[in-house]
Amino acid sequence: MSAGNAQIADITPQIVSEHGLSADEYERILEILGREPNITELGIFSVMWSEHCSYKSSRVWLKNFPTTGPQVICGPGENAGIVDIGDGQAAVFKMESHNHPSYIEPYQGAATGVGGIMRDVFTMGARPVANLNALRFGSPDHEKTRHLVSGVVAGIGGYGNCIGVPTIGGEVNFDPCYNGNILVNAMCVGLVDKDRIFYAAASGVGNPVVYVGSKTGRDGIHGATMASAEFDDDSEEKRPTVQVGDPFTEKLLLEACLELMAEDAIIGIQDMGAAGLTSSSVEMGDKGGVGFELDLDHVPCREEAMTAYEMMLSESQERMLMVLRPGHEDQATEIFEKWGLDIAVVGHTTDTGRLVVKHGSNLMADIPIGALANDGPVYNRPWTPTEPQAMIAPEDVPAPLSYADTLSAMMASPDLCSRRWIWEQYDHMVMGDTVMRPGGDAGVVRVHGSNKGLAITTDVTPRYCFADPVEGGKQAVAEAWRNLTAVGAEPLAITDCMNFGSPERPEIMGQFAGCVDGMSQACLALDFPVVSGNVSFYNENNGQGIHPTPAVGGIGLMSDIDQMATIALKDVGDALILVGDERGHLGQSLYQRDIVGRTEGAPPPVDLASERRNGDFLRALVTQGTAKAVHDCSDGGLYVAIAEMALASNLGADVTIAESSLPRHARLFGEDQGRYVIAVAPDAAASVEQNAADAGITAVRIGVTVEQPVLTVDGADAVRLDDLRNVHEGWLPKFMDGATT
């Protein structure tokens, strides 16, 4: 029986539309097959040609990213990126979105996002050593926000804690633009020996295709298609497309895979992520230039009478697909059964270059693999560049009546308040190698068995990207580079999670193009290539898109973790020095938004040459031991950075504001880029300033640490650290208890 006659059903325009395919795309399918597809084939095309799997609207832009460098072992195109960290070791890392599922079912959506990104890492032979996340929620006064925060945080903690991988950092923002479409971006980093890296490419003819892990169910069917469509008032009906995760099974799968990887048994291996068995077989076949023939009669199922359509599109969690070397089936079976996991030979590789699917006595699909992978549709969609907003002069933004009250209000705001309520629900010390806990500029984990460390961060400022995508894109990369530098790490590479609205709207594609441009400029200037990533379009609700949110996950290498810098002030009498130029930029600042009540103006410009110069200078101060405490200046500006340093130590500080043409409030709360606050011994301050001047870098004393737990500006307007800590750490618990919005 031909595939064209199996599962006979009339493929109507409505069915095509329900599968997320356009009329033109369906015509292309007819040309490829030379006949009408059956429903299983239509489903396979729909998921592989979805925005989530194919990157059909972003591919033309993503090729502009710099992706190479002497440290890069594997760039974009595999399950995760890989960079060399010396001593025969490599770091494997990636960030991905699980936005739509997390809005519909926050616990399972977030949990399975964590599980999926960890599988992307360990499928390459790496043991996961750290997780991070980047979360964006709607306005605190929105009716769903508290429920979504609670579920997402519980899901992240529930999965990561159970599998035993520490969650060491991340970021959380609140903004009304995310009211109807939150963002849950998960990042994972793993370690692997360079000579034990595994890739997805299948090879050879007649080699066994092996399914391992959990049984297949009906959860997650059409998850990839759902992730490629915007939300509307009926989105709750999509709850059945959200996968259900089991971290205990994932832990077993991790250990079983790593055990088999220690043998010479695996040719290629791929996580069954979005689009499940379909995407894993197509991607492995396409990368290896071979065909796959699958017999679904052998797929382990946990539900009765599953159809070929359901088995091929299911996104049930904790599953992997492997191509083994012939003769190793028994060895693999012994290992996976020992760990209590299903394993089954479900097919073999062929020389046809086609995906052939059989079920029962029927041929259910027969499709050229190339047509499903790289030969799918690619769109260069119309785009309109974002018109940058005008610069705002610092003196045009009103000054506060009280610096003490202003600092307290900002430190208690949703975007600057302590995230302790969140990260205390995560196990950040499991595995015993975490050396920098959440709350600093970057998380740091020891490379097990050595004194090396990996510094990891996630960063982006969506309000900057909305006002000027190019500058916002620059800033996202630069801040990640800066946060790694601040702890003393040498930045190596980034992954990204590009969260945007509908690519079918020119203004959204303009935002995307602008952010890619800005990010690319920064990556080149900072030698900070993109080695992996994810694009998430259609983050909208009833036609209203989110702010462009190109989240950046960066990693850096520390040769000696004993040289690591922290944000905590150390000793009374230390000089506080500001490294970097002051411009008093208040456009798009949190001061302007939260204190003045305006959101306008251009974001702070990013001078990439200055960014590189300042960062390299600062890193040398850290590794030399001169900088006793370091914190980058970002949201909230200088005074917020100093306040965070003081709260981390309970040492006070007197900030000195010298005479300047800049207004005092602009100097305290302006969000100028490329800046760091450092604390140095008083007898080292003069040499730091002189060395900076010799290098063409601005470095000026802006205060001194004091024993009294207070913050003052020129000895006045005192803020007690105890009072500041109460409001800083109190907002989020009170919000989650329903005591405040």
Side-chain angles (χ1 to χ4, degrees):
M1 177 179 290
S2 73
N5 293 324
Q7 278 187 290
I8 296 174
D10 290 331
I11 305 299
T12 65
Q14 180 179 350
I15 291 174
V16 171
S17 177
E18 288 171 353
H19 280 74
L21 294 163
S22 69
D24 288 344
E25 288 171 342
Y26 185 67
E27 286 299 318
R28 186 166 178 175
I29 292 171
L30 296 179
E31 293 175 7
I32 290 168
L33 295 179
R35 55 176 171 80
E36 282 199 354
N38 62 45
I39 193 65
T40 299
E41 292 172 323
L42 187 73
I44 289 171
F45 272 105
S46 76
V47 292
M48 291 309 301
W49 285 8
S50 69
E51 198 71 62
H52 189 77
C53 290
S54 72
Y55 298 128
K56 58 190 176 186
S57 297
S58 58
R59 218 186 289 185
V60 296
W61 293 102
L62 297 177
K63 65 183 181 181
N64 295 326
F65 279 143
T67 60
T68 60
Q71 72 275 40
V72 177
I73 295 173
C74 177
E78 274 288 342
N79 287 291
I82 309 176
V83 291
D84 194 329
I85 61 169
D87 303 310
Q89 298 172 304
V92 180
F93 66 108
K94 190 180 183 182
M95 181 189 291
E96 279 203 343
S97 63
H98 230 224
N99 304 334
H100 286 52
S102 298
Y103 182 81
I104 294 170
E105 213 303 301
Y107 184 95
Q108 290 296 346
T112 53
V114 173
I117 197 62
M118 282 196 281
R119 288 194 300 280
D120 280 339
V121 167
F122 74 72
T123 192
M124 303 198 74
R127 179 174 290 277
V129 297
N131 288 331
L132 291 86
N133 51 76
L135 312 177
R136 319 283 166 185
F137 297 103
S139 172
D141 59 10
H142 189 267
E143 60 183 2
K144 295 195 69 171
T145 298
R146 188 179 294 110
H147 161 71
L148 291 168
V149 172
S150 176
V152 166
V153 170
I156 291 170
Y159 207 101
N161 296 352
C162 289
I163 198 171
V165 176
T167 300
I168 65 167
E171 55 180 345
V172 183
N173 292 131
F174 297 86
D175 191 278
C177 75
Y178 304 108
N179 280 347
N181 196 129
I182 65 172
L183 303 183
V184 175
N185 298 169
M187 180 179 178
C188 181
V189 181
L191 291 170
V192 66
D193 290 339
K194 286 168 59 177
D195 60 355
R196 300 303 299 167
I197 296 170
F198 287 80
Y199 296 98
S203 63
V205 175
N207 292 329
V209 176
V210 179
Y211 170 120
V212 298
S214 293
K215 289 180 169 61
T216 295
R218 292 188 171 94
D219 53 321
I221 294 174
H222 268 301
T225 307
M226 178 191 70
S228 305
E230 65 180 84
F231 280 157
D232 55 31
D233 292 335
D234 298 323
S235 293
E236 291 294 327
E237 297 176 2
K238 297 179 180 178
R239 190 177 299 271
T241 66
V242 178
Q243 310 95 321
V244 177
D246 180 353
F248 299 104
T249 298
E250 177 120 333
K251 174 63 173 174
L252 300 175
L253 183 61
L254 163 64
E255 299 300 341
C257 286
L258 293 181
E259 183 174 340
L260 184 59
M261 286 169 171
E263 310 295 336
D264 188 27
I266 299 174
I267 295 174
I269 181 169
Q270 176 75 35
D271 164 41
M272 287 194 221
L277 187 55
T278 291
S279 63
S280 56
S281 55
V282 168
E283 289 171 12
M284 293 178 78
D286 180 67
K287 289 171 183 174
V290 299
F292 267 52
E293 184 170 313
L294 303 178
D295 186 346
L296 302 186
D297 290 354
H298 300 294
V299 171
C301 294
R302 67 169 183 261
E303 299 186 45
E304 295 291 330
M306 289 193 69
T307 65
Y309 180 99
E310 292 170 330
M311 282 187 272
M312 291 301 293
L313 271 60
S314 169
E315 294 182 9
S316 293
Q317 297 292 285
E318 295 87 40
R319 302 179 302 158
M320 309 283 274
L321 198 65
M322 301 177 177
V323 174
L324 297 182
R325 301 187 191 283
H328 287 269
E329 296 91 330
D330 290 345
Q331 181 184 33
T333 298
E334 181 180 352
I335 289 173
F336 280 89
E337 288 184 348
K338 179 187 74 173
W339 288 99
L341 298 167
D342 280 289
I343 179 169
V345 177
V346 296
H348 60 272
T349 57
T350 70
D351 62 0
T352 65
R354 301 180 74 85
L355 175 66
V356 175
V357 180
K358 297 178 180 178
H359 188 213
S361 59
N362 294 318
L363 177 62
M364 309 306 296
D366 185 355
I367 307 171
I369 284 179
L372 296 170
N374 290 322
D375 295 337
V378 176
Y379 298 123
N380 190 352
R381 294 192 184 275
W383 62 284
T384 303
T386 302
E387 186 69 30
Q389 297 189 35
M391 298 286 285
I392 292 179
E395 55 271 19
D396 291 340
V397 180
L401 298 176
S402 163
Y403 293 110
D405 291 347
T406 297
L407 179 64
S408 296
M410 292 184 67
M411 294 294 285
S413 67
D415 274 4
L416 289 177
C417 71
S418 170
R419 270 57 175 144
R420 182 182 297 274
W421 180 91
I422 293 174
W423 58 255
E424 283 189 340
Q425 297 184 53
Y426 305 151
D427 189 338
H428 46 273
M429 297 302 293
V430 66
M431 300 181 79
D433 282 321
T434 302
V435 293
M436 177 80 82
R437 305 182 185 195
D441 282 326
V444 180
V445 291
R446 180 195 306 270
V447 176
H448 192 71
S450 77
N451 219 42
K452 294 191 302 186
L454 285 179
I456 316 164
T457 185
T458 60
D459 295 287
V460 68
T461 309
R463 65 183 186 277
Y464 292 176
C465 296
F466 183 70
D468 185 337
V470 176
E471 288 299 319
K474 287 183 193 176
Q475 193 272 343
V477 173
E479 187 174 355
W481 191 88
R482 198 183 314 136
N483 280 329
L484 299 175
T485 293
V487 300
E490 183 75 33
L492 293 178
I494 70 169
T495 183
D496 60 57
C497 200
M498 309 288 285
N499 307 275
F500 290 79
S502 170
E504 298 170 41
R505 293 200 282 135
E507 66 271 23
I508 300 298
M509 282 310 301
Q511 293 173 351
F512 187 84
C515 285
V516 169
D517 180 15
M519 293 169 68
S520 298
Q521 291 183 47
C523 289
L524 285 169
L526 301 174
D527 291 328
F528 205 28
V530 181
V531 298
S532 61
N534 169 238
V535 177
S536 175
F537 279 133
Y538 296 101
N539 290 288
E540 304 200 347
N541 185 260
N542 290 321
Q544 184 65 44
I546 62 164
H547 284 350
T549 311
V552 170
I555 72 166
L557 179 65
M558 306 179 69
S559 59
D560 184 356
I561 58 174
D562 292 337
Q563 297 174 333
M564 179 183 72
T566 70
I567 71 171
L569 301 175
K570 302 300 187 297
D571 298 298
V572 174
D574 282 346
L576 297 177
I577 295 178
L578 176 63
V579 177
D581 294 328
E582 283 188 304
R583 295 183 177 87
H585 194 98
L586 290 170
Q588 298 300 326
S589 67
L590 289 182
Y591 171 83
Q592 185 202 44
R593 189 189 74 182
D594 295 344
I595 303 302
V596 180
R598 292 174 7 201
T599 304
E600 57 192 40
V606 180
D607 182 333
L608 292 170
S610 176
E611 191 81 56
R612 180 65 181 264
R613 189 166 53 248
N614 294 351
D616 289 346
F617 175 78
L618 183 281
R619 193 182 309 105
L621 293 179
V622 173
T623 56
Q624 294 162 6
T626 304
K628 299 166 70 173
V630 180
H631 195 11
D632 84 307
C633 285
S634 53
D635 279 349
L638 172 64
Y639 206 12
V640 167
I642 294 173
E644 290 170 341
M645 297 173 81
L647 288 174
S649 62
N650 212 39
L651 283 181
D654 181 34
V655 182
T656 302
I657 300 297
E659 288 298 321
S660 167
S661 60
L662 292 173
R664 177 176 284 199
H665 67 289
R667 299 183 68 188
L668 287 173
F669 302 113
E671 296 181 5
D672 306 324
Q673 298 296 294
R675 301 187 302 160
Y676 307 81
V677 177
I678 63 173
V680 303
D683 59 0
S687 63
V688 169
E689 290 176 305
Q690 184 60 56
N691 291 338
D694 292 344
I697 293 167
T698 301
V700 296
R701 269 179 265 201
I702 46 112
V704 62
T705 59
V706 298
E707 185 174 3
Q708 297 81 7
V710 297
L711 294 175
T712 54
V713 178
D714 294 327
D717 222 358
V719 184
R720 296 177 64 246
L721 290 184
D722 285 348
D723 294 338
L724 196 62
R725 181 174 287 104
N726 286 337
V727 297
H728 180 57
E729 296 194 354
W731 185 86
L732 195 50
K734 288 179 181 178
F735 169 67
M736 294 309 297
D737 287 342
T740 180
T741 55

